[in-house]
Amino acid sequence: MSEKNVDIAPSQLGTKDFWDNRYEMELANFEENGDEGEIWFGTAAENRIIKYLIDSKTAKDSEILDLGCGNGSVLRKLRSKGFSRLTGVDYCQKAVDLSNATSKAEEEEEDNEEEMIDIKFEQLDITAPRPDFLSLKFDVVLDKGTWDAMSLSEERGDRLKAYIDLLDNVLNENGRFVVFSCNFTLNELQEQFGGSILEMVCEVPATHSFSFGGKQGVTSTGVVFRKKTS
Ligand SMILES: C[S@@+](CC[C@H](N)C(=O)[O-])C[C@H]1O[C@@H](n2cnc3c(N)ncnc32)[C@H](O)[C@@H]1O
């Protein structure tokens, strides 16, 4: 694991206060106006995650964990595609409350005739997980924007180590870690996460890209890693 070539300054987005205030506001907005709040990196990134999981023939009963689930949007989309074992964690209790509120509202929508499975949401800090959580096992772990936020700190190195320790505990052998970032390139993500426990499988292709100054680009980088067999 190396952090060479990574030169991103710490920011407010790397603090829990920022996210606590943000989700307090988003929960109030949801209660008042039904606005579910921000979908980070847009619906295109969500669709890429879902398309990747379906195209790679991920079993619908796979245990899937979303780290830093925010408003729970990715997990709700996965539920709508038939995935049935879904867990989301976030270190902000208000994000967990918002995720519960948005998924319950979806269950209660009048035109939803089929009974929907429950999505489990709970409060958890990736850098200080409870021992009982570490005994759980998942086939797929997702991160959209969470490592990006966590990395905006002077403590990036320690946070990365704690993050990889958590992955080591909760990923099944051959389990996949799917990470989406706007801050880091493919090579940087590989330098940070690839190494002793994870090996890179593939990049998640963009559904569309933009062109600027003759160069092609996409708005977020998606990379899949697999836990090595021991
Ligand atoms: C950019 S938002 C992304 C939210 C969501 N994944 C999405 O794509 O909409 C970053 C999320 O990471 C969460 N987060 C940051 N640090 C965390 C930590 N140490 N443990 C758990 N969640 C964390 C924040 O509360 C926030 O919900």
Side-chain angles (χ1 to χ4, degrees), residues 63-95:
E63 289 284 357
I64 300 180
L65 170 67
D66 187 15
L67 290 173
C69 60
N71 63 7
S73 177
V74 167
L75 293 174
R76 281 182 279 118
K77 292 256 164 59
L78 284 170
R79 172 168 72 175
S80 75
K81 299 290 177 195
F83 290 92
S84 59
R85 295 187 178 175
L86 304 170
T87 303
V89 298
D90 202 290
Y91 70 171
C92 294
Q93 184 57 47
K94 295 279 186 212

Side-chain angles (χ1 to χ4, degrees), residues 4-24:
K4 56 182 186 283
N5 304 328
V6 175
D7 186 20
I8 294 175
S11 109
Q12 277 290 304
L13 273 75
T15 68
K16 185 163 182 293
D17 273 354
F18 173 87
W19 294 105
D20 280 338
N21 290 333
R22 174 137 196 147
Y23 286 114
E24 186 165 351

